[in-house]
Amino acid sequence: MKETILCKFAEVFGDTEGTEVYFAPGRVNMIGEHTDYNGGHVFPCALTIGTYGVARKRQDRKLRFYSMNFERIGVIESTLDNLCPDPWADWTNYPKGVMWAFEEKGVPIPNGLDILLCGNIPNGSGLSSSASVEVLTGFILRDMFGFDVSNQDLALIGQYSENHFNGVNCGIMDQFAIAMGKKEHAIFLDTATLSYEYAPIRLEDAKIVIACSNKKRGLGDSKYNERRGECEQALSELQKVCAVGSLGELTEEEFEKYQGSIGSEVHRRRARHAVYENRRTVQAVQALKNNDVAAFGQLMNASHVSLRDDYEVTGIELDTLVEEAWKVEGVIGSRMTGAGFGGCTVSIVKNGSIDDFIARVGAAYQSRIGYAADFYVVEIGDGPCKLT
Ligand code: GLA
């Protein structure tokens, strides 16, 4: 990979003088969906697939970007002066947003850069290709300019840029999972405090299989911000009857006691998902600690049902993938992952059943939806790094 992208860099930008090569992973969330902006827990892990980047400093303030994933777009140029989101700037709004966020936080970027990216995360799949680009950009800037920021800061800067530059009101999960990733571990993160714990994923005779629906979605045009607003609305009504700072602070019992204060039936279901999903996430991590992968899988399944019925972020594509997966023997658990409305599912599948899983779920999907899904058996990897 390193050779290929350096070669391409030379072709696009003339030579490879002064370049460095970097990598940032994608992520998959095992459980704890739509809980991060509700002050709840999440349990994501970084993947070994992600975004590779070649970068070098320039003497002027120019920015030149090229992505091997969008070759037809060619080189997109910009400058460090007056960084602002532009529709024509396409994917470069992500790295530009991170540069802008550094400047907003009082860390000015001294020089322009030439940056070439090449990702092997399926685009728009819900495996956080955009957060991967954000964390990668922050990592490159830190390394090239010697900024004194931690990996956790890189996550926060990435999220800040996504919220305030790219207009998606996302939580911290994706950028955190990517910046703080650890091989063979998932991250049990309390999004209210950012305290976290690494939990080893020991599946022994099973693997994590991702099914990509190939239904494209962008967070911006999905109902993501709308769901977030519905939860905020529910919270503000709950706050009239009980002292609570976020939905993530409520136990199921408290929710059941006070839920009548939420006027809209729809908002009540949204809040119910946030509260119960948070509890499921805590229980799922405990199950894993007890080596009870079967219980973990049951909680994954329950998570999907709640995302389908109460939160309504699944859709026929993700429901087909999950409901077909549940029928296959050797599937320990299966659910949608990420924001929803398209994107991927994550399943834990016994090694001996993986081929059968792919064949059966793939055929059912093709026949019901009319186009194919893609399947990936994935490994849990580390956070961002420089490739030497
Ligand atoms: C997207 C967001 C995350 C999180 C998930 C849903 O991936 O970027 O912050 O809210 O959706 O769990």
Side-chain angles (χ1 to χ4, degrees), residues 27 29 32-37 128 170-174 219 224 338-339:
R27 71 96 187 89
N29 187 24
E33 216 65 83
H34 290 280
T35 48
D36 63 349
Y37 51 83
S128 289
C170 67
I172 188 61
M173 171 171 74
D174 303 346
L219 280 187
Y224 185 87

Side-chain angles (χ1 to χ4, degrees), residues 8 12 28 34 128 172 194 203 237 263 282 300 306 308-309 317 360-361:
K8 191 73 191 181
V12 175
V28 65
H34 290 280
S128 289
I172 188 61
L194 292 191
L203 299 176
E237 288 174 276
V282 174
M300 287 174 78
S306 175
R308 183 190 65 195
D309 300 343
E317 297 83 2
R360 285 179 53 193
V361 176

Side-chain angles (χ1 to χ4, degrees), residues 22-27 46-47 49-53 55 91 93-99 101-102 115 117 121 127-144 147 149-162 166 170-181 187 382-386:
Y22 304 89
F23 172 78
R27 71 96 187 89
L47 298 171
I49 53 174
T51 318
Y52 291 82
W91 67 271
N93 283 319
Y94 291 110
K96 275 169 49 178
V98 171
M99 294 174 187
F102 266 96
I115 295 179
L117 299 187
I121 308 170
L127 301 180
S128 289
S129 52
S130 51
S132 176
V133 169
E134 288 160 4
V135 172
L136 179 69
T137 305
F139 192 88
I140 290 173
L141 296 173
R142 174 173 83 186
D143 187 67
M144 294 230 135
F147 296 150
V149 289
S150 65
N151 275 28
Q152 186 164 315
D153 294 333
L154 294 182
L156 289 165
I157 289 170
Q159 183 202 16
Y160 188 84
S161 76
E162 180 116 15
N166 281 301
C170 67
I172 188 61
M173 171 171 74
D174 303 346
Q175 291 82 1
F176 199 96
I178 289 167
M180 306 294 285
I187 309 173
D382 283 317
C385 63
K386 182 168 171 174

Side-chain angles (χ1 to χ4, degrees), residues 341-356:
F341 313 104
C344 290
T345 67
V346 57
S347 308
I348 300 179
V349 187
K350 290 235 162 98
N351 293 338
S353 302
I354 293 176
D355 290 344
D356 192 34

Side-chain angles (χ1 to χ4, degrees), residues 105-122:
K105 305 264 171 205
V107 186
I109 315 292
N111 302 67
L113 300 118
D114 291 333
I115 295 179
L116 175 139
L117 299 187
C118 180
N120 54 8
I121 308 170

Side-chain angles (χ1 to χ4, degrees), residues 63-224:
L63 298 167
R64 294 195 296 176
F65 298 104
Y66 185 88
S67 168
M68 291 173 69
N69 299 86
F70 303 104
E71 298 216 289
R72 57 178 171 80
I73 303 180
V75 174
I76 297 185
E77 287 203 14
S78 191
T79 150
L80 284 171
D81 303 311
N82 188 29
L83 285 166
C84 56
D86 284 306
W88 56 263
D90 209 85
W91 67 271
T92 70
N93 283 319
Y94 291 110
K96 275 169 49 178
V98 171
M99 294 174 187
W100 170 86
F102 266 96
E103 304 219 330
E104 286 285 298
K105 305 264 171 205
V107 186
I109 315 292
N111 302 67
L113 300 118
D114 291 333
I115 295 179
L116 175 139
L117 299 187
C118 180
N120 54 8
I121 308 170
N123 292 318
S125 62
L127 301 180
S128 289
S129 52
S130 51
S132 176
V133 169
E134 288 160 4
V135 172
L136 179 69
T137 305
F139 192 88
I140 290 173
L141 296 173
R142 174 173 83 186
D143 187 67
M144 294 230 135
F145 301 116
F147 296 150
D148 181 20
V149 289
S150 65
N151 275 28
Q152 186 164 315
D153 294 333
L154 294 182
L156 289 165
I157 289 170
Q159 183 202 16
Y160 188 84
S161 76
E162 180 116 15
N163 292 168
H164 301 287
F165 195 87
N166 281 301
V168 178
N169 221 355
C170 67
I172 188 61
M173 171 171 74
D174 303 346
Q175 291 82 1
F176 199 96
I178 289 167
M180 306 294 285
K182 182 170 168 174
K183 194 174 184 251
E184 285 160 15
H185 289 73
I187 309 173
F188 181 44
L189 170 68
D190 179 350
T191 63
T193 58
L194 292 191
S195 62
Y196 65 96
E197 188 188 319
Y198 289 110
I201 300 284
R202 279 185 297 260
L203 299 176
E204 274 139 34
D205 59 344
K207 293 209 163 47
I208 300 173
V209 185
I210 287 173
C212 183
S213 69
N214 287 322
K215 181 191 180 194
K216 294 281 179 256
R217 50 149 271 274
L219 280 187
D221 52 52
S222 74
K223 291 188 173 294
Y224 185 87

